[in-house]
Amino acid sequence: MAWRIVVGLKKHIKDARGERVRREIEEHLHLDLPIVRTLDVYTLDADLSSAEVERAASGPFSDPVIQEYTINQPLANNFDMLIEVGLRPGVTDNTGRTAKEAIQYLTGRPFAAGESVYTSTQYVFTGLTDKTVAERIAKDFLANGLIQYWTILTYDELDPVVGVPVTVPKVISEAAPTVRTLNLQISDEELLDISRQGMLALNLEEMHKIKQHIDNPQVVSERQRFGLGAELTDVELEALAQTWSEHCKHKIFSARIDYEDESGKVEQIDSLFKTYIVGATDQVRKNLGADDYCLSVFKDNAGVIEFDSDWSIVFKVETHNSPSALDPYGGALTGIVGVNRDGMGTGMGARLIFNTDVFCFASPFMSQELPPRLLHPRRIFEGVVEGVEHGGNKSGIPTINGSLVFDDRFAGKPLVYCGTAAIMPRLLNGQPCHEKKVQIGDHIVMTGGRIGKDGIHGATFSSEELHEGSPVTAVQIGDPITQRKMFDFLILARDRGLYHSITDNGAGGLSSSVGEMAEDTGGFELHLDRAPLKYPGLQPWEILISEAQERMTLAVPEEKLDAFISLATEMDVEATDLGIFTDSGYFHCLYEGKTVSYLGMDFVHDGVPQLVIPAKWQPRELEEPAFLQPADLGQELRQLLSRLNICSKESVVRRYDHEVQAGTVIKPLLGVTNDGPSDAAVFRPLLDSFSGVVVSHGICPSYSDIDTYHMMACAIDEGLRNYVAVGGDIDHVAGLDNFCWCDPVESSKTPDGKYKAAQLVRANQALYDYCVAYGVPLISGKDSMKNDYQIGDRKISIPPTVLFSVIGKIADVRQAVSMEVKRSSDLVYLLGKTADELGGSEYYAQHDELGRQVPQVDAESALLRYRTLNQAQKRGLVASCHDLSDGGLGVALAESAFAGGFGMQIDLASVDVEQTVREDKILFSESQSRLLVTVHTEHKDEFEKLFAGQSCSCIGQVIDNGELIITGLQGQKLLHQSLEQLKQAWQAPLREM
């Protein structure tokens, strides 16, 4: 019998959740409803006595002070319409899992197999009488039909005795586990049909390579020894598809590219990754010589650099774009908990210290109709923000740095970047902690969550554009509580030396984690039937490639296996022995004792054919806009401050816990009222040391519309100047590149593939040039190369986008510098020259223009400036420092002023410009490598002496009154705005999001 417990607030208690839903329905759907109340529903599908259910309802499920409950009866009354929303069968129900654990603690006995608790929410409306409108509310706002169901009842339809009919969303499958074989001796079209119908994302050349492999008599003969024949099993084909996917194999970055530049010069590039990314890092490390601080790059789940003589810093940034397009909450939640596992799975394991996040969305206020399968940008915005919030906050990891970028082309696919930093000891049990190696005979042990159908084909799904066949099963929902328990267990197991190696179960599931670890030994034997499942009915191939979350794979030596399993049991973490690492040379999977996969390891990992991609660069024919300087530059500044890419993101930042672990020194919001925008974050990971970690980033996709070379250069420079602005040591810094691109492979779907591929080449060339020039090694990164939407003739491609993340060190966090002005009479300096560089700028976009003169970076002068600024910071000469980016000088002045609560008197005639530049362009140019600094008057001479010979202009002074006053090139009053006006313009757009 299934029991139903309904819990709600007592009548005199305000329903804040219901009020938020009411307000958002009004904002989203323009429906004015007087009252919305919410009720929590727990469906207990378990053999429980009425007394046990009563104890659960009155104990862990409700608060007797503010809540009431009913059992197997309705709680809703005096309403017009009720909508109940729950999760579909097989979708991870984190609250239900916690409720199940609570009942088990209460009763002192575990649930039987198949028993569970399922949760749902009832939304009770007054003033809603039209079922058609209720259906619209459910479909377009309350639920995501891919993962949720809903029931709609009027007051008269609700059974007054039992309430809403019981729904038990249990996975029911009577399919017996079977292994299919596939005959590949078929036509090309039929081969492609196998790939398309199976969501394998394998092209014809790859299908031919697999066909040729299985045609080899020697291969067939070896297979026959294990009961297989001349046909591949579905397990083998799925494993190859995951391993060879763009997501896992990075085929575009590994491709041979035939590149032609604008002058007709042709060159052949054998792997963008090896040529430009690895190449840049190799050159930087060579230049650093004995001062090289890199410990592990490009060979593990994350990069590792030195922090001090006893500790190392681990950093990784991932994307989770495709799942977030289908289910924003689940996709983003999985993104953050997934990248957390990357940190934990680096070396022998690391303790997570902070998260970062950067989101790229279309405008949440978009009014035009969207094509099929696309969620409204506001739903994506809210779902992604909430998903990362739940993943980070519930894991006890602070989120300390991030940003939001808006461009309506992100309606086709949002970009969801999630990053994690961690700290590990330099030595563990006498060995470097950043190194690991599987030994022959080690047991394959999986820890953490169980395996379900969620996440199946996640790797191959994210290797394609979003289309009508994109699978629901590719979406996972992470469980941060289960994962946190696993992490706590693994750190103990690490310190006790109970395993040799560890990695996470991410894209491709066990197929990837075990397959990659087995490269150390040359083979493995994996028993799929031993794997713990969320529910029965999974096929062997599904068990192998499922990306169900919260799982790590470890190599545990025979003599430590009992101790490992015992510790896991003690800490309530599931750990299962699935097999053994061997030196057989084969990817060997079994199910109930029978071989279901027997592929050569070399073929699995090295068999994928290299792509050949043509690329041709032709600069766009663009012109500078011809509009005159506006008469009211105060109004222009207010409008700029209100643009989505510039305005305050406080409503999002406040949802993330940036204080947990008590290490955040420079926080995301700063100033006299703690609402000014920080340039970067400073974190103190060890409370017995004043050494700090500095993290920042740069991202500027609008410049890609002119030239991706300069887009990349500007992203690198923005990340570094944000880093330096707070005190980060420019000589102890590392970078991570995360490329998100539209499909650059020429085809009927992508006729402009040569141009997009050339854009990719130019971005990589800039990555090499500027990382070498700045001396910044690249320690990790990721690429996501199919960020397009295509259904029918409608195609939406994102602008080529690179997030350049920066991490490094500050020797003493007490020397960190924040961005807000500090006191009246301080002098205001502008470091760096200003040029007529507004191509792709926010100011031009405000006037519906693109322009031609994209900002360009002079790395030589910038590096000297950053090093000199570091010296000034260490000497205590800098009162505040703020970088100039979107909106240029005008925006930086306004932000520094209203964050600090002081006005400024500024003279534009004192700004160092490269040539004659119009006043509005001086104010809003986005020339790179510039910083706005305030200095106490007593430090004036020492500060100016330090910057002698560089571009360092005293352009004004901090004043007592709350006004920003700017005089023009002829001494005239050009702009006079109150800080209150400016701050209101900056805060208003996203205040209610």
Side-chain angles (χ1 to χ4, degrees), residues 50 90 97 129 244 254 256 294 342 386 565 670 852 909 969:
S50 57
R97 178 197 52 76
T129 57
W244 290 11
S254 299
R256 190 192 86 199
C294 296
D342 281 326
E386 185 176 24
I565 299 292
L670 301 167
R852 178 174 57 85
L969 297 178

Side-chain angles (χ1 to χ4, degrees), residues 134-163:
E135 181 70 26
R136 180 182 166 213
I137 290 172
K139 181 172 69 73
D140 293 345
F141 177 70
L142 294 177
N144 182 341
L146 290 175
I147 62 168
Q148 292 169 305
Y149 71 87
W150 57 86
T151 302
I152 302 175
L153 297 172
T154 65
Y155 179 78
D156 292 336
E157 290 171 335
L158 181 70
D159 188 316
V161 177
V162 300

Side-chain angles (χ1 to χ4, degrees), residues 239-260:
L240 286 169
Q242 308 312 302
T243 308
W244 290 11
S245 67
E246 175 60 43
H247 183 91
C248 293
K249 211 64 179 175
H250 312 289
K251 292 182 287 191
I252 290 172
F253 265 76
S254 299
R256 190 192 86 199
I257 298 184
D258 298 328
Y259 174 66
E260 180 181 346

Side-chain angles (χ1 to χ4, degrees), residues 854-932:
V854 66
Q856 300 187 22
V857 178
D858 179 353
E860 183 179 359
S861 67
L863 182 57
L864 176 60
R865 182 174 311 126
Y866 298 160
R867 283 179 171 150
T868 308
L869 179 60
N870 274 169
Q871 293 180 51
Q873 290 163 331
K874 290 174 183 176
R875 295 185 192 181
L877 305 180
V878 178
S880 73
C881 185
H882 191 25
D883 96 300
L884 275 68
S885 55
D886 295 341
L889 177 61
V891 167
L893 288 167
E895 290 175 341
S896 296
F898 59 60
F902 291 99
M904 285 187 181
Q905 176 80 51
I906 301 297
D907 179 13
L908 278 195
S910 299
V911 173
D912 185 6
V913 295
E914 287 197 348
Q915 64 275 326
T916 302
V917 182
R918 218 166 66 183
E919 290 162 326
D920 61 335
K921 295 188 176 184
I922 295 175
L923 263 184
F924 306 129
S925 167
E926 294 181 8
S927 291
Q928 300 295 292
S929 315
R930 296 181 300 157
L931 296 132
L932 187 70

Side-chain angles (χ1 to χ4, degrees), residues 277-294:
I277 299 175
V278 175
T281 299
D282 287 347
Q283 186 61 52
V284 169
R285 296 185 73 181
K286 180 180 177 182
N287 295 343
L288 286 169
D291 295 325
D292 181 15
Y293 44 84
C294 296

